[in-house]
Amino acid sequence: MTASAHATSPTPGPEIPTPLFGATDRRRGLIVGLIIGAIATLTRFWLLWTPTDDGTPIFDEKHYVPQGWQVLTGGNWIEDNPAYGLVVHPPVGKWLLAIGESMFGYTPMGWRVMSALAGIAIVVMIYASVRRMTRSTLIGAIAGIFAICDGVLFVQSRLGMLDIFQALFVVATFAAVIADRDQVRARMHKVYLEGRIGDSVYGPRMGFRWYRFTAGVMLGLTCGTKWSGIYYVIFFLLLSLGFDVAARRAYHVKRPWVGTLMRDVVPSGLSMAVMPVAIYLATFIPWFSGETSVYRYQVGNTIGTGGTWSWVPGAWRSLWYYEAGILKFHAGLTNSAGNHHPWESKPWTWPMSLRPMLYALENGPDRCGGGECVRAQMLIGSPAMWWLALPMLLWGLWSWFVRRDWRYAAVVTAYAAGFLPWFIELDRQMYFFYATVLAPFLVMGLALCCGDILRGSRRTAPGTRPERQALAVLVVAIYVGLVVANFAWLWPILTASPISPTMWRQQIWLPSWG
């Protein structure tokens, strides 16, 4: 949407973007945000301490929960006992688990409370990000409802695993990149109004960009949780630079591409590429300072003291040995090497949640104090949303490249960062919980589609506008209601609530779910 320059400046000129940077109804936006947050809190904390494996962690909680406890009780905030197994992820996610365990002890509440808080924060940030992108509290609220009702975000925020923390930092990065775009355009608009836009063919310098700095910090924490965060470093850096080029072009800078290269590439690279690596390395400070950290003293033991790299300090060579071992571990988790799991899946099944995960299963009359029943918890994407992933992505790509809609460019880029890299090595053993980071951008994209339906009805001929508007509102309302109803239907198998065997069979909609 554009407006002529004489609408915003005293002299006429070429068209520039309308100076609108976020929704204007701040009070209503705050109230709606608080309501969204309250509902997210209620759902995430509802019987958070169930299910368990007779009071112990379930599924991959069995790896990360003991590691969090060992981080907390070991005295140096780092794992130093390989016997805990799978010491193959950076420490940030385990620190967060340890914080929860420090508050509530080695209990289900202790090892899940931080996941629940992360899940709530994700919902609120999705609401705030979509509200900012669409300039609409209504569309932001729809995105918030979708995030509350998504089975993947819901289940992962109720377990002591690492994926929800990675999703937290990824969504925080996305929110910062979107806010940075608005801030850059606001500064560009100010320069335009002051008549200084043509002082240089490269356009103005933007000064220090706190949101871009924040995005770099969040990317560092993303990498400090799981290695796959490196893909978001690449994709979000390119997205941010793309926004910079678009901003310079929108305000008619004579050489926008060269201007971005001259003005933005170096500071963006420092904030969003160099700083994340530095933060990742900084997360190993406890490892460097620990006397018993796993693989801390390999030089002189496993690693020789001479050779080409003998000039590198022993601690750094030991860290390289540690990291190389992690890479070797992941590289060896292949199907061709004989690694198989009954619930593994490949990435082409993730967008539609065709192969979910079974996290816990209990059945028998003793489980319900009487008749036969089933208690099962599954990680499953709500079909009302996940089965529309491909249409949403196709519409998003068309809107990006044909309509030049930057909002879809942002959402599709973020979705691609969590999806496309997994096709590089398809022999790897993979699971649906890797798709946790896809869920926030799926719900954002669907909310943007709902916004398109509502806005499209306002652009019709005057004689048909009321009917089309009513139909658009009805369609969106029915769809939102369907998403909520789908979440309510799946509730028993998302929370391991007791249901009859018949009801359990009715919950399994596809053969691949069983």
Side-chain angles (χ1 to χ4, degrees):
M1 183 169 58
T2 61
S4 59
H6 59 74
T8 54
S9 66
T11 59
E15 290 186 342
I16 62 169
T18 301
L20 184 61
F21 311 113
T24 56
D25 54 343
R26 294 186 177 181
R27 182 176 180 182
R28 182 170 63 176
L30 176 61
I31 293 173
V32 172
L34 291 173
I35 294 172
I36 292 290
I39 297 173
T41 301
L42 179 63
T43 56
R44 270 58 184 169
F45 275 96
W46 184 270
L47 297 179
L48 182 61
W49 48 88
T50 60
T52 64
D53 184 4
D54 292 328
T56 67
I58 63 172
F59 195 64
D60 272 9
E61 283 187 327
K62 294 183 181 295
H63 299 301
Y64 306 120
V65 168
Q67 287 178 12
W69 184 252
Q70 203 272 328
V71 163
L72 175 65
T73 58
N76 199 41
W77 284 88
I78 199 74
E79 307 101 316
D80 56 23
N81 187 353
Y84 278 88
L86 287 184
V87 186
V88 293
H89 291 296
V92 172
K94 300 161 200 175
W95 290 348
L96 293 173
L97 291 175
I99 291 172
E101 291 170 337
S102 71
M103 294 187 290
F104 296 98
Y106 196 75
T107 65
M109 180 62 75
W111 65 65
R112 292 173 182 167
V113 63
M114 295 303 294
S115 297
L117 292 175
I120 296 165
I122 288 171
V123 170
V124 173
M125 286 190 293
I126 288 173
Y127 159 74
S129 296
V130 173
R131 180 175 178 268
R132 177 181 285 276
M133 287 192 293
T134 61
R135 323 303 185 195
S136 168
T137 297
L138 173 62
I139 307 305
I142 290 174
I145 292 171
F146 288 172
I148 290 171
C149 295
D150 175 55
V152 171
L153 290 176
F154 176 74
V155 172
Q156 291 298 99
S157 64
R158 294 168 56 86
L159 289 176
M161 293 170 59
L162 305 183
D163 303 270
I164 195 66
F165 300 130
Q166 185 182 38
L168 169 70
F169 297 129
V170 166
V171 175
T173 303
F174 181 87
V177 169
I178 298 302
D180 176 68
R181 178 192 181 274
D182 273 3
Q183 185 183 69
V184 165
R185 295 220 165 197
R187 293 179 181 180
M188 192 76 75
H189 194 79
K190 182 176 183 293
V191 172
Y192 180 87
L193 293 181
E194 292 172 352
R196 297 187 291 110
I197 202 73
D199 288 356
S200 169
V201 295
Y202 305 131
R205 299 182 185 276
M206 292 293 104
F208 190 82
R209 290 158 58 174
W210 280 105
Y211 286 118
R212 184 174 61 186
F213 177 85
T214 301
V217 173
M218 293 299 107
L219 285 171
L221 295 175
T222 300
C223 295
T225 303
K226 275 195 164 185
W227 275 14
S228 53
I230 190 63
Y231 301 124
Y232 288 94
V233 172
I234 298 169
F235 279 71
F236 281 145
L237 176 58
L238 294 175
L239 178 65
S240 179
L241 292 173
F243 283 159
D244 291 344
V245 172
R248 294 182 186 277
R249 291 182 63 185
Y251 283 90
H252 309 288
V253 171
K254 292 182 180 179
R255 304 185 68 182
W257 287 92
V258 179
T260 299
L261 180 63
M262 298 288 291
R263 309 288 202 210
D264 302 317
V265 168
V266 171
S268 292
L270 291 174
S271 290
M272 300 183 66
V274 176
M275 188 167 64
V277 174
I279 291 175
Y280 172 82
L281 293 175
T283 63
F284 284 91
I285 290 176
W287 182 89
F288 281 110
S289 63
E291 292 294 325
T292 58
S293 303
V294 61
Y295 305 131
R296 173 62 180 82
Y297 295 99
Q298 293 303 302
V299 176
N301 294 304
T302 308
I303 306 173
T305 56
T308 305
W309 303 102
S310 59
W311 58 274
V312 178
W316 288 97
R317 295 181 67 191
S318 294
L319 179 64
W320 180 260
Y321 175 87
Y322 180 12
E323 303 291 271
I326 294 174
L327 181 62
K328 182 179 179 181
F329 169 82
H330 287 300
L333 287 177
T334 61
N335 297 140
S336 59
N339 293 294
H340 297 281
H341 190 280
W343 289 96
E344 67 179 297
S345 60
K346 296 302 180 184
W348 57 79
T349 68
W350 298 346
M352 293 182 64
S353 182
L354 296 180
R355 183 57 173 166
M357 297 287 302
L358 180 64
Y359 280 165
L361 178 63
E362 297 179 339
N363 52 57
D366 57 322
R367 300 300 180 184
C368 298
E372 185 80 13
C373 79
V374 177
R375 291 178 179 265
Q377 184 178 47
M378 295 189 73
L379 179 72
I380 186 167
S382 302
M385 290 186 285
W386 286 73
W387 287 5
L388 295 180
L390 295 182
M392 182 279 290
L393 290 171
L394 290 174
W395 175 254
L397 288 169
W398 185 87
S399 298
W400 176 2
F401 290 106
V402 178
R403 297 169 59 203
R404 303 296 183 184
D405 192 326
W406 68 271
R407 303 167 306 162
Y408 285 102
V411 169
V412 171
T413 297
Y415 190 98
F419 180 58
L420 294 181
W422 293 105
F423 285 86
I424 296 174
E425 193 175 357
L426 289 174
D427 194 32
R428 271 281 311 273
Q429 197 173 25
M430 303 178 194
Y431 304 94
F432 182 55
F433 60 78
Y434 293 174
T436 302
V437 288
L438 302 183
F441 306 107
L442 169 65
V443 302
M444 288 186 195
L446 291 173
L448 292 180
C449 291
C450 290
D452 285 349
I453 293 173
L454 295 175
R455 274 190 298 272
S457 68
R458 303 191 194 112
R459 298 175 185 150
T460 56
T464 59
R465 185 175 298 167
E467 293 78 7
R468 288 182 179 272
Q469 283 186 346
L471 179 61
V473 171
L474 181 62
V475 168
V476 172
I478 290 175
Y479 179 65
V480 173
L482 179 63
V483 168
V484 174
N486 193 192
F487 178 61
W489 171 264
L490 292 173
W491 179 272
I493 63 171
L494 299 177
T495 59
S497 299
I499 54 177
S500 67
T502 300
M503 183 66 173
W504 165 244
R505 289 190 292 270
Q506 291 174 352
Q507 294 280 350
I508 306 302
W509 289 3
L510 297 176
S512 60
W513 288 14

